[in-house]
């Protein structure tokens, strides 16, 4: 029992507050009217304004204070003052009216208490309402996981030389029964601040590993696509992550080299020491590690050097301006050189056009991902492409020499 002691009152307060916050303005006004009517009737029926019963008016006053704030609390307090004053006999049986000073004093108390409650509760109200909304969304998300509404799509990552699918990125979606399929942006920000992120992360990891293992069984270790899973800052912060990954690999008998964990650059920058230790531990499991959205996190090249990485995913921000400005290709090329010097596999993200595809291929990128090749697909759709060995781009004839500036060449000469 001990551990639930504190949660009973907690839960009571929360549900009362939750209920008051969740009631619509119209419903709240109806409740206020009802509260006043009940208070008046009870006072009347109990014989008059002399007893303890007029204290009932504090209920609608406090509710008005919590739900609407000081102004409404004062209005309700004044109404209560009048209802419990000139409109209530001191002795109903004798039909005797109250003394003015008595009911004015009581009305004064109503106003002071109503205002005080409103002012006390006001500052914390938005945060409580926020928390209540969040915990509701959290419960909803937890249920969605349990009910199988959280699905994983897989976006092909194409080998630029062969045009074949070399890897897939696991991307979580919520197939919401009412709102349709939701992108992570619609529900992840809320989850990031709550423990449910761990359940969501674990679910995605489990699903992705199970799918990766199915492909491994079907196509063999060498041909099966690598499955890449996004790892949030919160998950990397969690010491259990390593155990969780190890367990997933073991449970599904998945070859570790078929699993890649993507970590965004900004995470590495924010806590370099811890991240380096975590990544090293993950690396000993044999999984691959990728830096996601590289180039957006303001990391220095020295930082990249310090992590045990396998893959550099170049942010789509560098790919989008291809063809529109001249510096872009130079930067993309510089990134390839950097990655090459660290023996990293390069992935160009967000390839949407033929031209972008051509440029990143000619710059020597190993892999590319983007709507130009495929959108995030359902597992069975990827499976059809794999089974048919469908190339998602023309295989490169023979590697053309890259049409890129050499170090030292002044890029202004190219104009
Ligand atoms: O940050 P990360 O690289 O993990 O983001 C992957 C997201 O990028 C997915 O939600 C995916 O739908 C989206 N995405 C994939 N390919 C493209 C593309 O070619 N263009 C754009 N704008 N977004 C893409
Ligand atoms: Mn990613």
């Amino acid at each position: 029992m001990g551990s639930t002691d504190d949660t009973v009152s907690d839960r009571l307060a929360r549900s009362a507050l939750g209920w008051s916050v969740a009631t619509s303005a119209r419903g709240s006004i109806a409740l206020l009217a009802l509260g006043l009517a009940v208070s008046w009737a009870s006072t009347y029926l109990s014989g008059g304004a002399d007893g303890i019963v007029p204290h009932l008016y504090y209920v609608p006053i406090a509710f008005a204070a919590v739900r609407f704030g000081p102004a409404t609390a004062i209005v309700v307090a004044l109404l209560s003052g009048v209802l419990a004053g000139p409109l209530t006999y001191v002795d109903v049986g004798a039909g005797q009216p109250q003394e003015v000073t008595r009911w004015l004093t009581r009305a004064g108390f109503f106003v002071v208490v109503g205002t005080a409650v409103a002012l006390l509760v006001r500052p914390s109200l938005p945060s409580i309402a926020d928390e209540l909304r969040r915990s509701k969304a959290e419960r909803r998300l937890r249920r969605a996981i349990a009910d199988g509404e959280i699905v994983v799509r897989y976006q092909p990552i194409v080998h630029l030389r062969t045009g074949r699918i070399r890897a897939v990125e696991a991307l979580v979606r919520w197939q919401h029964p009412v709102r349709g399929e939701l992108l992570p942006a619609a529900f992840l920000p809320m989850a990031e601040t709550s423990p449910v992120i761990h359940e969501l992360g674990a679910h995605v990891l489990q699903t992705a590993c199970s799918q990766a293992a199915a492909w491994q069984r079907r196509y063999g270790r060498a041909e099966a696509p690598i499955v890449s899973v996004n790892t949030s800052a919160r998950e990397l912060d969690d010491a259990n992550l390593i155990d969780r990954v190890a367990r997933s690999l073991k449970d599904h008998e998945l070859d570790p080299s078929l699993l890649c964990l993507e970590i965004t650059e900004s995470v590495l920058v924010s806590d370099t020491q811890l991240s380096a230790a975590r990544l090293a531990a993950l690396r000993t499991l044999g999984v691959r590690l990728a830096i996601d959205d590289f180039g957006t996190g303001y990391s220095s090249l020295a930082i990249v050097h310090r992590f045990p990485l396998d893959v550099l995913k170049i942010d789509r921000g560098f790919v989008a301006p291809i063809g529109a400005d001249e510096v872009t290709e130079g930067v993309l090329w510089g990134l390839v050189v950097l990655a090459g010097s660290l023996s990293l596999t390069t992935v160009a993200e967000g390839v949407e056009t033929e031209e972008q595809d051509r440029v990143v291929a000619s710059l020597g990128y190993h892999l590319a991902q983007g709507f130009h090749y495929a959108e995030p697909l359902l597992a069975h759709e990827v499976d059809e492409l794999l089974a048919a060995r469908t190339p998602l781009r023309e295989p490169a004839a023979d590697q053309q020499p890259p049409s890129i500036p050499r170090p030292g060449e002044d890029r202004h000469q190219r104009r």
Side-chain angles (χ1 to χ4, degrees):
M1 192 57 215
S3 67
T4 59
D5 279 357
D6 50 354
T7 63
V8 174
S9 64
D10 239 38
R11 235 180 302 161
L12 208 64
R14 229 164 258 281
S15 64
L17 270 170
W19 174 80
S20 93
V21 168
T23 310
S24 70
R26 225 187 248 193
S28 302
I29 289 168
L31 280 172
L32 283 174
L34 182 71
L36 291 175
V38 168
S39 303
W40 184 84
S42 311
T43 312
Y44 192 90
L45 292 175
S46 74
D50 239 358
I52 193 153
V53 185
H55 286 87
L56 266 184
Y57 283 99
Y58 284 113
V59 176
I61 293 169
F63 178 65
V66 171
R67 179 64 179 78
F68 295 108
T72 313
I74 291 171
V75 170
V76 174
L78 291 173
L79 275 174
S80 301
V82 172
L83 283 169
L87 297 184
T88 304
Y89 292 122
V90 69
D91 183 342
V92 175
Q96 183 192 352
Q98 294 179 58
E99 286 171 36
V100 175
T101 47
R102 285 230 18 215
W103 73 259
L104 273 181
T105 310
R106 190 185 308 112
F109 272 109
F110 285 165
V111 170
V112 169
V113 170
T115 313
V117 169
L119 293 180
L120 281 174
V121 125
R122 190 85 305 194
S124 51
L125 210 57
S127 68
I128 292 174
D130 223 48
E131 197 198 319
L132 287 163
R133 228 168 295 143
R134 212 178 43 224
S135 78
K136 192 171 160 211
E138 212 180 290
R139 277 197 304 279
R140 181 68 193 85
L141 183 54
R142 218 165 250 147
R143 189 147 52 84
I145 297 174
D147 293 353
E149 289 171 16
I150 302 299
V151 300
V152 178
R153 282 184 175 268
Y154 301 89
Q155 186 175 36
I157 300 173
V158 174
H159 192 212
L160 284 165
R161 195 161 48 72
T162 63
R164 304 259 311 274
I165 297 174
R166 176 72 185 104
V168 291
E169 175 170 359
L171 296 164
V172 65
R173 298 286 187 266
W174 182 348
Q175 289 182 341
H176 197 285
V178 180
R179 295 164 66 194
E181 186 164 298
L182 302 181
L183 293 174
F187 59 95
L188 271 193
M190 181 282 296
E192 291 279 1
T193 59
S194 114
V196 75
I197 188 72
H198 296 292
E199 288 161 53
L200 190 72
H203 175 73
V204 172
L205 183 67
Q206 279 295 321
T207 310
C209 284
S210 143
Q211 185 58 57
W215 282 324
Q216 177 186 324
R217 287 191 297 275
R218 180 147 187 208
Y219 301 104
R221 220 187 67 127
E223 290 280 306
I226 296 163
V227 175
S228 214
V229 178
N230 292 291
T231 310
S232 73
R234 280 283 293 273
E235 290 175 285
L236 199 65
D237 247 359
D238 179 2
N240 292 326
L241 176 70
I242 292 137
D243 285 342
R244 224 159 2 103
V245 172
R247 198 145 13 89
S248 289
L249 292 169
K250 192 155 166 280
D251 287 352
H252 297 97
E253 297 179 32
L254 176 63
D255 190 293
S257 70
L258 287 177
L259 180 65
C260 177
L261 298 179
E262 296 189 8
I263 294 124
T264 52
E265 186 191 17
S266 48
V267 172
L268 303 187
V269 178
S270 67
D271 191 345
T272 308
Q273 290 258 306
L274 178 72
S275 307
R278 285 279 146 76
L279 294 189
L282 284 169
R283 198 55 161 359
T284 60
L285 297 175
V287 301
R288 294 171 203 257
L289 297 175
I291 289 205
D292 204 1
D293 305 331
F294 184 73
T296 56
Y298 308 104
S299 65
S300 73
L301 302 182
I303 274 192
V304 180
H305 188 55
R306 227 178 296 158
F307 293 107
L309 298 166
D310 305 273
V311 180
L312 207 56
K313 296 188 79 173
I314 306 302
D315 189 72
R316 72 175 71 96
F318 293 104
V319 174
I322 285 177
D325 80 54
E326 289 189 23
V327 185
T328 299
E329 289 183 36
V331 174
L332 279 169
W333 181 71
L335 291 168
V336 159
V337 173
L338 161 75
S341 72
L342 298 170
S343 309
L344 301 176
T345 301
T346 39
V347 183
E349 293 185 293
V351 173
E352 294 180 354
T353 67
E354 184 98 39
E355 184 184 18
Q356 291 165 357
D357 163 76
R358 195 171 35 75
V359 169
V360 297
S362 73
L363 286 172
Y365 279 80
H366 300 113
L367 307 171
Q369 174 181 2
F371 298 153
H372 176 63
Y373 313 105
E375 296 187 1
L377 304 172
L378 295 172
H380 75 88
E381 297 171 314
V382 175
D383 205 40
E384 281 159 28
L385 295 173
L386 290 170
R389 309 179 118 242
T390 317
L392 296 181
R393 81 186 291 274
E394 278 297 302
D398 238 328
Q399 233 16 5
Q400 305 146 2
S403 62
I404 45 177
R406 298 187 178 290
E409 183 187 351
D410 186 351
R411 72 171 201 274
H412 295 288
Q413 288 172 3
R414 294 163 61 226
R415 289 194 177 154

